[in-house]
Amino acid sequence: MSIQTPERVEQRGFYLDELREGVVYAHRPGRTLTETDNVLFTSLTMNNQGLHLDAAWSATQPFGQRLMNSLFTLGTMIGQSVPQMTEGTIIGQLGIDAVKFPHPMFHGDTLYTETEVTGIRLSKSRPGQGIVTMKHTGRNQDGVVVATATRTCMMWTKDAHAASMNTNEED
């Protein structure tokens, strides 16, 4: 009697050679942003902005309530993309630019993120690696765009990553 080993699937992001320009990847589930998230993140990053921490004062301001810290929104938006896009396949993040926050997030809003691959190219100096450019768009539960950012990453091709893993195991 033989015992069969079950098939094993490990979650990972896409490799450079699996991505296609112009494709939009929807990341789910969404993430409901809470007062606790806002107060902890704002305090941990030493940002004492009253718009994040002072409910009474914020009530007198144009939005009438506290705003989620925009850097928390940015980090969450990019973080939502990681399991599907870059988990285990990224070498490093090269930059984030064109960051915009066209509409605020409030306590209790839910953030949904989509990522469009806008550029893919092999590295000229690093065989088996390449540069991917992605545009992240975050929307609230009503579909209103609350954040956008362009991110550039150095990523593995599938074969080169497998070869690097075999080389490391032999050392």
Side-chain angles (χ1 to χ4, degrees):
M1 177 176 183
S2 70
I3 299 173
Q4 289 189 321
T5 303
E7 180 180 2
R8 183 172 183 215
V9 177
E10 186 173 323
Q11 181 175 332
R12 63 164 172 83
F14 291 103
Y15 285 105
L16 180 83
D17 38 338
E18 296 173 323
L19 292 167
R20 296 186 330 266
E21 280 187 49
V23 173
V24 175
Y25 301 88
H27 312 300
R28 298 297 183 266
R31 171 68 155 75
T32 301
L33 309 183
T34 69
E35 179 179 12
T36 300
D37 295 329
N38 200 31
V39 170
L40 286 176
F41 184 85
T42 298
S43 298
L44 286 170
T45 57
M46 299 179 67
N47 177 347
N48 65 349
Q49 174 55 255
L51 285 172
H52 307 309
L53 298 173
D54 187 333
W57 180 78
S58 294
T60 69
Q61 298 306 301
F63 290 108
Q65 61 182 305
R66 286 173 290 168
L67 308 179
M68 287 299 298
N69 186 309
S70 57
L71 293 179
F72 182 80
T73 301
L74 175 65
T76 303
M77 180 176 68
I78 290 172
Q80 285 178 312
S81 76
V82 168
Q84 187 176 13
M85 301 301 296
T86 61
E87 180 70 43
T89 58
I90 189 173
I91 296 163
Q93 184 160 272
L94 302 177
I96 300 172
D97 57 22
V99 177
K100 295 189 171 134
F101 302 102
H103 190 275
M105 292 288 284
F106 303 106
H107 300 160
D109 282 351
T110 301
L111 179 64
Y112 295 95
T113 299
E114 294 180 348
T115 300
E116 178 182 1
V117 175
T118 58
I120 303 168
R121 73 170 179 84
L122 288 170
S123 172
K124 294 177 180 106
S125 62
R126 299 174 69 119
Q129 300 174 11
I131 297 171
V132 176
T133 304
M134 300 172 249
K135 181 179 180 189
H136 300 291
T137 302
R139 291 182 172 81
N140 68 13
Q141 65 280 355
D142 299 320
V144 175
V145 174
V146 296
T148 58
T150 300
R151 181 165 70 126
T152 306
C153 301
M154 178 71 71
M155 296 184 69
W156 286 105
T157 61
K158 189 173 187 177
D159 290 343
H161 194 215
S164 79
M165 301 288 273
N166 291 336
T167 301
N168 292 338
E169 289 173 6
E170 294 169 6
D171 289 343

